[in-house]
Amino acid sequence: MFVDPRLRELVSAALDEDVGRGDVTTLSTVSADRQIRGTIFAKEPIVLSGQAWAEEVFRQVSSDYGAAVYAPKVDDGAQVEKGGVIGELHGSAQAILTGERCALNGLMRLSGIATNTRRHVDAAGAAGPKIVDTRKTTPLWRSLEKAAVRAGGGSNHRFGLDDGVLIKDNHIVAAGSITEAVRRAKAHAHHLLRIEVEVESITQIDEALAAGAQVLLLDNFDDAGLARAVSHARAQDPSVILEASGNMTPERIARINHVAVDIVSVGGLIHQSRWVDLSLRFEG
Amino acid sequence: MFVDPRLRELVSAALDEDVGRGDVTTLSTVSADRQIRGTIFAKEPIVLSGQAWAEEVFRQVSSDYGAAVYAPKVDDGAQVEKGGVIGELHGSAQAILTGERCALNGLMRLSGIATNTRRHVDAAGAAGPKIVDTRKTTPLWRSLEKAAVRAGGGSNHRFGLDDGVLIKDNHIVAAGSITEAVRRAKAHAHHLLRIEVEVESITQIDEALAAGAQVLLLDNFDDAGLARAVSHARAQDPSVILEASGNMTPERIARINHVAVDIVSVGGLIHQSRWVDLSLRFEG
Amino acid sequence: MFVDPRLRELVSAALDEDVGRGDVTTLSTVSADRQIRGTIFAKEPIVLSGQAWAEEVFRQVSSDYGAAVYAPKVDDGAQVEKGGVIGELHGSAQAILTGERCALNGLMRLSGIATNTRRHVDAAGAAGPKIVDTRKTTPLWRSLEKAAVRAGGGSNHRFGLDDGVLIKDNHIVAAGSITEAVRRAKAHAHHLLRIEVEVESITQIDEALAAGAQVLLLDNFDDAGLARAVSHARAQDPSVILEASGNMTPERIARINHVAVDIVSVGGLIHQSRWVDLSLRFEG
Amino acid sequence: MFVDPRLRELVSAALDEDVGRGDVTTLSTVSADRQIRGTIFAKEPIVLSGQAWAEEVFRQVSSDYGAAVYAPKVDDGAQVEKGGVIGELHGSAQAILTGERCALNGLMRLSGIATNTRRHVDAAGAAGPKIVDTRKTTPLWRSLEKAAVRAGGGSNHRFGLDDGVLIKDNHIVAAGSITEAVRRAKAHAHHLLRIEVEVESITQIDEALAAGAQVLLLDNFDDAGLARAVSHARAQDPSVILEASGNMTPERIARINHVAVDIVSVGGLIHQSRWVDLSLRFEG
Amino acid sequence: MFVDPRLRELVSAALDEDVGRGDVTTLSTVSADRQIRGTIFAKEPIVLSGQAWAEEVFRQVSSDYGAAVYAPKVDDGAQVEKGGVIGELHGSAQAILTGERCALNGLMRLSGIATNTRRHVDAAGAAGPKIVDTRKTTPLWRSLEKAAVRAGGGSNHRFGLDDGVLIKDNHIVAAGSITEAVRRAKAHAHHLLRIEVEVESITQIDEALAAGAQVLLLDNFDDAGLARAVSHARAQDPSVILEASGNMTPERIARINHVAVDIVSVGGLIHQSRWVDLSLRFEG
Amino acid sequence: MFVDPRLRELVSAALDEDVGRGDVTTLSTVSADRQIRGTIFAKEPIVLSGQAWAEEVFRQVSSDYGAAVYAPKVDDGAQVEKGGVIGELHGSAQAILTGERCALNGLMRLSGIATNTRRHVDAAGAAGPKIVDTRKTTPLWRSLEKAAVRAGGGSNHRFGLDDGVLIKDNHIVAAGSITEAVRRAKAHAHHLLRIEVEVESITQIDEALAAGAQVLLLDNFDDAGLARAVSHARAQDPSVILEASGNMTPERIARINHVAVDIVSVGGLIHQSRWVDLSLRFEG
């Protein structure tokens, strides 16, 4: 959904990082006028993410090394089988060779996240909670990683420290109490932001709701405790929004997907994912 | 070994990404004059990397939110047990809370890479080949990820497209032949760069050596094929440098660590790593 | 409340704009070692805002032209009488003369906004609605102008298009209906954001509440219509948050401050303000 | 007259300020393929300025959100009646809604300055002095605000500290005397710059002319004093250029427009202006 | 005289250009804790310029590689004999070795310009015309090269296209005539800028003065023609400022230094200069 | 060979440096709709370099001032006689006049380097050593100056401190010995970099080769000493690459071009070059 105006800048910095003063191998071995065709394909089954990254990489190298066009063949979110074609390239061989690694590195990382997210979302099932990410993202990659989560069928939590109030354990320590922290947040945050509090016990649930929290983050409850916490909180305030987190693997999500939480947040969508295997093959 | 002059810039962009227009939770719930102490510790056994990242994060938030000091307690490369202390923080609670996630995200990613690298290096053993990374790195993070590889006991391959000539399969397709590609590279690359060629058969080894390649990348040979290729190449040119790659897990490295390759390159040091678990705990 | 990490950058660009290739008058007429003292004072009664701007201006010129120190004598938000001292300067005459105009331009603009806001807030009275700003701010100055509103006793609305959902008349036209617009927003916005809808009639109020809007912006109602709208909306949903806007002068605010709206938003806090008159006087 | 190469950069920063991580309202409520038409029109009589700003805003959002075209219907400097059309928009509804506020904020500010300037220029009359601005401009907006002054029929004073020598009261204090300040400026400034001195008395006029000043800024003289100062100065040096300043409202300008000053400079063209009221209306 | 706020940025880009991803030689061969002392000295007689460049280089590398201090021993403008010491260095050997080339490249270039300028200024003599530079400067180096001209005893012409009006032959072609060009410039340029016209004949001198030019650039006259042109122009307008240019070597300047021009402008101060020879010697 | 992705950025900064807030002469004297044709030609025989610079300058000014097209008539590396045409311009007179100086400054500098390089390469002859540059380049201009060297028939040494290991005298001092320095470099530099050592005596040659250096820089040997050093080194290690440097004028190169060094490096290709004379002539 979100368009990232910083994509151009990220890709430009990424190419600068890889290319430096120039791709000495390509520039010396390949003629400037050599035209070529190639295909990016999957070497294992994946859920795809990162087409905008790849398009931007080849757009930028084209302006420096000669025109090359990347034509995506499937959209982000698609499931691609082993051997399936992701996109086609044609144009300047210098441009394509210079951009290849940078484009693939983005596609492989982001598709890894989408593929991993899909497993969690499937475990939750259609009737289960929304699966959302956290702020445990690779610095400088948050917007793209959150798009990969959406490509895998997940949803997003807040995007940063400025578009949502989430009072966590360390804020409570620093503020003195949940009551005091919520009181201050209500006085200062603007009226379009809800206030969420991380709670780890029934006592904390009661204190947070009494203070006026509109959302609770139920952190690190075991399965039985989570069910009890949900019932308790809903009884106090039927309109409260409930989020659960803590060691949320696909297995556990499948186990608790009938508990009436609205949202399960999973850092591991991103930080426990691995790159999938993609490759660029030239037509000789 | 390498100092990264871009660290400041990366951290600044990372904080901008996370903090945006301001940390509304911290700024509203915690007083500007609240001082606090905290500890970053490991929640599982790790090899550490990323202390420079964490130091820079807290240095930068200090200049915007009030002074906070991060004191690393162990160096990059150290093995830290579960519960072991990585660093201590004291100063402005606002600064520490605002920087916490950004600092931890860096430490957890980089330590994940160092920890994963260590497993590969141990498999190679003291007498085995050097374990090196590849250009399959997270765009914008290469310098830090390569430092994490060193922290895990590995070594680095070239840093980008401009500090080494590596003629891969797609270059050969585009140039027409190994012979032609090497000829051109020798004519154009400056005299401090060696020329490496990716080869997948004995025939290609012969062609590359005849053309004057000084380094061979033996890609995707099976164990027996790799041993034969090494003997064959060494017989042709005793001074050739030999690098092997392709599906190099710790298990396979242990199996082939007696084959006389100089270098084994492993993309998975980085792209198959997962974040380790670290946490920041405040003293009440 | 909010710290602005971009202040440094804005001041740097502002000095660059004014100083260009160097202050030819100051550099030619004043010796580099000339030390001086001066005072910034008010030439009319004001509410002050902009001390951080002025401090940053003199900090930056000091690093280029020789040390000068700006010592603020009162805080943002203070009421300063005609002749009252705002801050004192001493150090390099070159630095002070080069930074003078840039520093004063910021202080005079921002204090103009704080002074104007104060008049609106006083009209609302202690028991009346919160007075908040809008997104009608000077491009590149939003963070500082919103701080000036707070200095004048006002509060802030959302900071940008990404930290709040406000469905306005043109969104409704584009989406087709209030119902459709709210339905989509609820599906896509993350759970820490409330959804506000601009309404101009009782019918729209009903549609917005039925769709699930949590906040209503009552726009351009006359005094009587506003009172009716508030009663009607509160009857439908006692927990709804109500914001009123449209031609909100201090006079009108005083007239309607007993109507039970939570918030009155006033673009004119900023866009109908004028600079106040401040001056820098040297001690001969 | 002046083209501003920094306009692109200013608009880009302004959009970044407003849009942040994405326009959550527009992106969630409006389909990416929704096309729309709209009109920007005046809600009060104005003199227009800012068309280049608006064009650039919609050009930039188009590249991120889908093509939208802004077609200006009148030029900067035009007088537009209440209800008069300023420009037309068509294309992606997402792009138009995302850019709307940023575009209007620029147009409303700059047209406010042009409209205010027009009042002063009319007061001076065709035979009267040139009306020029000062360096009391909104930091980062000088080039655009000076263009707005020209759109209102005014002229510009120097653009910064590097394209003109203007020795003001504080320079005289720092240099020791008018004589010394002018002597130094003549020795150091290049030969294409004239030297102007701010004077507040007949004695200072004499000292400045004797020292070789080519332009005098007659500051804060009352009406009678101004007439005397002009006669006196012209008698000393018929070729001297005379500028008057200090509390120059349209009323006072009308009163003194027969006094033979060449130039009247008015900070209030900019800093006493208010935004005019413009609006964007969609065709349903 | 002029302080350059862009020096930091230029040096940062210059170090980035040279150092790239890190100084592999220094970082691998020299220990991080190695301290060293060294001296920068002249290998031929020079006039010095560039100390601010060298200081900034070592200041920046110190913040990345360990503290090193550069202590200048003579000021810009000083004449240094062969073997004379320019500055001393001590501190981190890594920092000094990494910054050495970048620092010397700046000092050698700028001192070359200062040394060359001195020859021209000496040829003009104390009673002769001012020797000034032109806009024929190395792009990105203008401010530093103009400082080098001042270090060599020369003066500066305008700094760019925005701080002086100089109507050259191609402007005259484009405008249609000198008369038309001057008329327009007088209408549009602000009142602190003088108007200069390039002339190549007595006829053009007459036209330019009649149009109101205040400065004439007498271009490409031979020695006798130059004397005639000066007499002619002075007779028409005793207050006109006269600048001569075209093939101005020290020899020609010595020959014409009695002709009553105010200014001789010489592009060759900069573009015909060569680097002087400086070296950094370590104490073992 | 190398494409420079930073060219756009350099040209943009160069135009900003020259144009500042706008070309007041051109904008006031020439109408925005004035179209013109012109020719850039050589006023002396040259070897050309810098066409990409000129194209980029006119491309950028076109986007700000109205369309102008620069059509190069000869390629970099071409020999152009006095009066020969280098390129043609047509389009907006404002754009062409604003970009003229910046474009010519680049072409004149770079062609000066190409022309100077050609003299050295001719002295070496077809059978002689390769003539290469050094890191004595104008900061911020290295990539363009190295391209100019190639245009003149020369070759390039390493591009920076990160794409080659060159152990110079000061590194040896800091490391303690050649042996120690080479040992460390071999341990740390990646395997695609060769190691070069600067040597000034037969003893040092022996130490460097024994330590494993693959390239020797024979610095400051006299003619006879150079011949002896080459024979000695070749006898020790037939595969060693030999580079000679120190006071390498065309005369000396012609004298030693039969000595079997592989490479002669000459800082003076760049730092002893002077600008050639080019001019832009308008068709009336």
Side-chain angles (χ1 to χ4, degrees), chain A residues 1-2 130 150 155, chain C residues 165-167 170-191 193-197 207-208 210-214, chain D residues 23-36 93-94 97:
Chain A
M1 183 178 83
F2 286 101
K130 282 169 83 161
R150 294 194 303 273
S155 299
Chain C
V165 178
L166 174 42
I167 299 170
N170 281 338
H171 295 102
I172 297 167
V173 171
S177 69
I178 288 176
T179 304
E180 178 63 9
V182 174
R183 188 190 64 75
R184 291 186 185 195
K186 288 171 77 173
H188 291 295
H190 67 70
H191 64 281
L193 297 182
R194 285 202 184 88
I195 292 170
E196 179 167 10
V197 180
E207 185 177 355
Q214 296 113 19
Chain D
D23 178 351
V24 61
T25 308
T26 296
L27 291 169
S28 63
T29 62
V30 179
S31 307
D33 57 1
R34 178 73 161 100
Q35 300 291 300
I36 209 138
Q94 284 194 349
L97 282 160

Side-chain angles (χ1 to χ4, degrees), chain F residues 184-200:
Chain F
R184 290 186 184 195
K186 289 171 73 173
H188 291 295
H190 67 70
H191 64 282
L192 293 185
L193 298 182
R194 284 203 186 88
I195 293 169
E196 178 167 10
V197 179
E198 178 183 312
V199 292
E200 300 185 354

Side-chain angles (χ1 to χ4, degrees), chain C residues 32 35 44 51 60 74 87 125 131 150 165 175 210 219 233 235 241 245 271 274 282:
Chain C
Q35 300 290 300
E44 59 177 316
Q51 293 284 43
Q60 290 193 13
V74 284
I131 301 299
R150 293 194 304 273
V165 178
D219 195 38
I241 300 174
S245 71
H271 66 59
R274 296 174 167 184
F282 273 11

Side-chain angles (χ1 to χ4, degrees), chain E residues 124-147:
Chain E
K130 280 168 85 162
I131 301 299
V132 311
D133 49 32
T134 70
R135 281 173 46 248
K136 290 180 184 167
T137 57
T138 305
L140 308 179
W141 277 84
R142 183 168 293 165
S143 171
L144 289 161
E145 292 183 343
K146 283 187 170 264

Side-chain angles (χ1 to χ4, degrees), chain D residues 61-115:
Chain D
V61 291
S62 285
S63 90
D64 286 329
Y65 293 83
V69 173
Y70 176 64
K73 301 318 268 184
V74 284
D75 289 336
D76 277 18
Q79 291 189 287
V80 181
E81 293 314 298
K82 182 174 176 177
V85 171
I86 289 165
E88 292 174 356
L89 281 156
H90 67 272
S92 157
Q94 284 194 349
I96 294 172
L97 282 160
T98 300
E100 170 183 356
R101 185 76 270 136
C102 188
L104 287 176
N105 285 357
L107 281 168
M108 290 162 78
R109 291 192 78 244
L110 295 171
S111 298
I113 293 168
T115 304

Side-chain angles (χ1 to χ4, degrees), chain F residues 74-113:
Chain F
V74 283
D75 290 334
D76 277 19
Q79 290 190 287
V80 181
E81 292 314 298
K82 182 173 177 177
V85 172
I86 289 164
E88 293 174 356
L89 280 155
H90 67 272
S92 157
Q94 284 194 349
I96 293 172
L97 282 160
T98 300
E100 171 183 357
R101 184 77 271 135
C102 187
L104 287 175
N105 285 358
L107 281 168
M108 291 162 77
R109 290 192 79 245
L110 295 171
S111 298
I113 292 168

